[in-house]
mmCIF file of all heavy atoms in Angstrom:
data_model
loop_
_atom_site.group_PDB
_atom_site.id
_atom_site.type_symbol
_atom_site.label_atom_id
_atom_site.label_comp_id
_atom_site.label_asym_id
_atom_site.label_seq_id
_atom_site.Cartn_x
_atom_site.Cartn_y
_atom_site.Cartn_z
ATOM 1 N N VAL A 302 -2.863 0.081 3.490
ATOM 2 C CA VAL A 302 -2.528 -0.712 2.288
ATOM 3 C C VAL A 302 -1.045 -1.012 2.173
ATOM 4 O O VAL A 302 -0.661 -1.948 1.482
ATOM 5 C CB VAL A 302 -2.969 -0.059 0.954
ATOM 6 C CG1 VAL A 302 -4.413 -0.330 0.685
ATOM 7 C CG2 VAL A 302 -2.631 1.396 0.895
ATOM 8 N N ALA A 313 -9.630 -11.285 6.629
ATOM 9 C CA ALA A 313 -10.476 -12.028 5.693
ATOM 10 C C ALA A 313 -10.782 -13.439 6.202
ATOM 11 O O ALA A 313 -11.873 -13.959 5.984
ATOM 12 C CB ALA A 313 -9.795 -12.091 4.324
ATOM 13 N N ALA A 317 -14.380 -11.254 8.123
ATOM 14 C CA ALA A 317 -14.539 -9.799 8.223
ATOM 15 C C ALA A 317 -13.975 -9.172 6.942
ATOM 16 O O ALA A 317 -13.337 -9.852 6.134
ATOM 17 C CB ALA A 317 -13.816 -9.271 9.449
ATOM 18 N N GLY A 391 0.755 -3.541 22.728
ATOM 19 C CA GLY A 391 -0.080 -4.432 23.543
ATOM 20 C C GLY A 391 -0.204 -3.995 24.989
ATOM 21 O O GLY A 391 -0.927 -4.627 25.756
ATOM 22 N N GLY A 412 11.725 -21.392 11.836
ATOM 23 C CA GLY A 412 10.504 -21.871 11.223
ATOM 24 C C GLY A 412 9.463 -20.812 11.541
ATOM 25 O O GLY A 412 9.822 -19.672 11.838
ATOM 26 N N LYS A 482 24.587 8.713 7.773
ATOM 27 C CA LYS A 482 25.796 9.515 7.584
ATOM 28 C C LYS A 482 26.387 9.278 6.181
ATOM 29 O O LYS A 482 26.732 10.231 5.476
ATOM 30 C CB LYS A 482 26.805 9.100 8.666
ATOM 31 C CG LYS A 482 27.829 10.147 8.996
ATOM 32 C CD LYS A 482 28.606 9.764 10.235
ATOM 33 C CE LYS A 482 30.073 10.026 9.990
ATOM 34 N NZ LYS A 482 30.937 9.389 10.974
ATOM 35 N N THR A 488 21.318 13.010 -0.567
ATOM 36 C CA THR A 488 19.906 13.259 -0.217
ATOM 37 C C THR A 488 19.200 14.157 -1.235
ATOM 38 O O THR A 488 18.002 14.389 -1.111
ATOM 39 C CB THR A 488 19.777 13.857 1.204
ATOM 40 O OG1 THR A 488 20.667 14.955 1.295
ATOM 41 C CG2 THR A 488 20.072 12.829 2.269
ATOM 42 N N LEU A 493 15.821 9.627 2.827
ATOM 43 C CA LEU A 493 16.205 8.731 3.928
ATOM 44 C C LEU A 493 14.979 8.423 4.796
ATOM 45 O O LEU A 493 13.976 9.130 4.738
ATOM 46 C CB LEU A 493 17.312 9.384 4.760
ATOM 47 C CG LEU A 493 18.612 9.689 3.996
ATOM 48 C CD1 LEU A 493 19.689 10.223 4.952
ATOM 49 C CD2 LEU A 493 19.138 8.460 3.257
ATOM 50 N N PRO A 494 15.061 7.353 5.608
ATOM 51 C CA PRO A 494 13.904 7.001 6.448
ATOM 52 C C PRO A 494 13.566 8.118 7.438
ATOM 53 O O PRO A 494 14.450 8.813 7.929
ATOM 54 C CB PRO A 494 14.377 5.766 7.218
ATOM 55 C CG PRO A 494 15.622 5.308 6.563
ATOM 56 C CD PRO A 494 16.198 6.440 5.788
ATOM 57 N N PRO A 498 8.894 11.513 15.736
ATOM 58 C CA PRO A 498 9.355 11.957 17.059
ATOM 59 C C PRO A 498 8.643 11.173 18.168
ATOM 60 O O PRO A 498 7.450 10.907 18.068
ATOM 61 C CB PRO A 498 8.945 13.435 17.088
ATOM 62 C CG PRO A 498 8.865 13.839 15.655
ATOM 63 C CD PRO A 498 8.412 12.621 14.902
ATOM 64 N N ALA A 546 -10.433 1.802 -5.411
ATOM 65 C CA ALA A 546 -9.892 2.985 -4.740
ATOM 66 C C ALA A 546 -8.422 3.176 -5.086
ATOM 67 O O ALA A 546 -7.730 2.225 -5.459
ATOM 68 C CB ALA A 546 -10.053 2.828 -3.236
#
Side-chain angles (χ1 to χ4, degrees):
V302 278
K482 204 169 136 194
T488 50
L493 299 185

